[in-house]
Amino acid sequence: GKGTFIYDDYFAKLQQNGMNWARVWQCPWWCGLEWTKQWPGYQGLGRYNLENAWRFDYLLAQAERRGIYLQVCLTNHGQITIERHIDRQWDSNPLNAELGEGGPLKRAAEFYTNPVARKLFRQRLRYTVARWGYSTHLMAWALFSEMEFTEAYWRDAGGKNDFQGTVRCPVVANWVGQMAAALKKLDPFDHLVTCLLYTSP
């Protein structure tokens, strides 16, 4: 029932137990910036949820107060996952053309290659760095969570049954390389750039 302010408790407990690192997600249900107009606070593609941006301002301030360094995950895998049993959110993604909010993607896998999707992502990176890049307690950016569950890797590259990380997915690898480079160019404070992929791209 505390909403945003639950982080007062979380970070206090981390500090009390000698922990100084946490990974947090910006996802549609928590601190996300861009999502379908059908969800409260969101305004569709290219328009950011300023209530959630304030939430992240607050969260980051509490981390600084408690001496905690954050790895900030900018995109969760469910946004371009199509499997129902793996946090599928593709049906609510404004990039999805079927949603009718002007999205250009016919398939979730096109997220990595579509020029409009790539432009929107780089635009969000720019806003993110401008708003939060100042913080000395922002340890690292994480471009994505669990990319092995996204359609391009899971289905197109045949990674569904790959538990050893042997499948290669050039489309995902190329996207990561290009977006990491774009983020490094934008960030004057040279934060680490990471990606949460539990199997090799």
Side-chain angles (χ1 to χ4, degrees), residues 26-88:
Q26 289 186 327
C27 48
W29 66 90
W30 180 251
C31 288
L33 293 178
E34 192 175 21
W35 200 239
T36 176
K37 298 173 186 176
Q38 298 171 21
W39 286 36
Y42 288 102
Q43 301 176 55
L45 294 172
R47 303 286 303 276
Y48 300 144
N49 184 328
L50 296 183
E51 183 178 355
N52 277 352
W54 175 87
R55 282 191 178 97
F56 202 79
D57 291 343
Y58 183 86
L59 188 153
L60 191 52
Q62 293 308 304
E64 292 169 359
R65 180 171 164 244
R66 296 290 185 176
I68 295 164
Y69 297 85
L70 300 182
Q71 180 184 22
V72 181
C73 184
L74 304 176
T75 318
N76 64 297
H77 59 281
Q79 294 183 31
I80 56 170
T81 295
I82 61 170
E83 302 296 328
R84 298 250 175 231
H85 63 289
I86 310 179
D87 312 317
R88 176 177 172 142

Side-chain angles (χ1 to χ4, degrees), residues 9-10 12 25 40 47 55 62 78 81 100 115 133 151 155 164 172 183 199:
D9 297 342
Y10 290 161
W25 287 10
R47 303 286 303 276
R55 282 191 178 97
Q62 293 308 304
T81 295
E151 184 182 30
R155 282 198 180 179
Q164 303 301 319
V172 172
L183 184 49
T199 51

Side-chain angles (χ1 to χ4, degrees), residues 113-131:
T113 57
N114 181 276
V116 174
R118 292 165 69 92
K119 180 180 178 181
L120 286 165
F121 191 82
R122 286 193 301 270
Q123 179 177 300
R124 184 156 51 89
L125 290 179
R126 185 171 182 269
Y127 179 88
T128 299
V129 170
R131 184 153 185 155

